[in-house]
Amino acid sequence: EVHLVESGGGLVQPGGSLRLSCAASGFTFSNFAMSWVRQAPGKGLEWVSGITSSGDDTNYADSVTGRFTISRDNAKNTVFLQMSSLRAEDTARYYCVKDGHCNGGTCYFDYWGQGILVTVSS
Amino acid sequence: QSVLTQPPSVSGAPGQRVTISCTGSSSNVGANYDVHWYQQLPGTAPKLLIYNNNNRPSGVPDRFSASKSGTSASLAITELQAEDEADYYCQSYDSSLSNSVFGGGTKLTVL
């Protein structure tokens, strides 16, 4: 059974940094791309960042480019999201998601973690 | 404002059929990128409902179906049940943004 468990969230001041981790199990981690999707309180879903199975390629939403960095450790079945220069508008629940099989650029997200709350406030 | 447009809410009585639309443009749905759908029950993480336009993952009832045509896609739910009350999101890829994109979400109320 696939499990994705996020950690590292919490309260941080504007301008601060936070590193999210996602421990994966139940599948061959190194074979699949991974992504982070966030959901602000009472709002919809927003794709944040993705990383290929090897970690060689990464992609970011315009809203976080230059501030967030996604990485992975295939030996430890873990994906990370380093967040810096945090803003109030980054306040959200952050979901770690496993990419399913991608078709010409479109990847679906077949498994989701329970999410971790990040609150940016002074 | 979301790249993919969904109605904010839809409703239906138990046993009825409802549809949720997802309207995109020539850089996403209209560019023949696949559309996927997710169900988010209250207080829980989203769950994959439909992938690659019209495929159901194992365990998803056949009351859920979807289609795509031109720059739009739609999700249909037949034999509506109280447990279907949730938020539904469509998702695709946008070539202008080079990103995955979601619709704004549709809240389904079962009357």
Side-chain angles (χ1 to χ4, degrees):
Chain A
E1 186 181 358
V2 173
H3 283 288
L4 300 170
V5 181
E6 302 94 341
S7 60
L11 175 64
V12 62
Q13 291 188 339
S17 298
L18 215 52
R19 188 196 200 202
L20 304 184
S21 300
C22 170
S25 61
F27 65 101
T28 305
F29 182 73
S30 58
N31 285 354
F32 291 92
M34 299 291 293
S35 297
W36 289 91
V37 174
R38 69 184 180 183
Q39 186 170 35
K43 302 296 185 182
L45 301 173
E46 179 188 15
W47 176 85
V48 173
S49 180
I51 186 167
T52 56
S53 57
S54 65
D56 288 346
D57 284 316
T58 59
N59 201 10
Y60 301 91
D62 288 346
S63 57
V64 306
T65 295
R67 302 186 300 121
F68 290 13
T69 302
I70 191 172
S71 60
R72 64 190 294 160
D73 183 339
N74 283 348
K76 295 184 177 180
N77 290 358
T78 303
V79 62
F80 305 97
L81 187 67
Q82 178 68 47
M83 306 184 293
S84 60
S85 301
L86 283 161
R87 308 165 180 166
E89 53 265 36
D90 295 317
T91 294
R93 179 168 290 274
Y94 285 73
Y95 293 100
C96 171
V97 300
K98 171 185 170 293
D99 287 22
H101 292 283
C102 302
N103 179 25
T106 307
C107 299
Y108 57 88
F109 307 125
D110 56 359
Y111 290 95
W112 296 61
Q114 284 306 299
I116 191 85
L117 192 59
V118 172
T119 303
V120 184
S121 175
S122 54
Chain B
Q1 209 153 1
S2 302
V3 172
L4 305 179
T5 301
Q6 297 181 235
S9 62
V10 297
S11 63
Q16 285 189 333
R17 177 182 187 270
V18 297
T19 61
I20 298 172
S21 61
C22 173
T23 303
S25 67
S26 58
S27 61
N28 42 69
V29 181
N32 210 30
Y33 291 109
D34 289 336
V35 177
H36 321 293
W37 292 88
Y38 302 86
Q39 177 193 58
Q40 186 174 31
L41 296 170
T44 70
K47 165 193 156 185
L48 179 65
L49 194 65
I50 299 284
Y51 65 97
N52 295 353
N53 304 316
N54 55 15
N55 295 278
R56 285 186 309 276
S58 173
V60 174
D62 60 7
R63 299 186 297 105
F64 295 90
S65 64
S67 62
K68 190 186 90 165
S69 179
T71 58
S72 294
S74 66
L75 173 71
I77 309 171
T78 60
E79 301 172 18
L80 207 56
Q81 300 178 5
E83 66 206 47
D84 298 332
E85 192 159 282
D87 293 324
Y88 293 84
Y89 294 90
C90 61
Q91 177 239 327
S92 186
Y93 178 83
D94 190 279
S95 58
S96 297
L97 298 172
S98 298
N99 285 345
S100 288
V101 289
F102 285 95
T106 299
K107 181 176 181 59
L108 168 63
T109 300
V110 180
L111 302 171

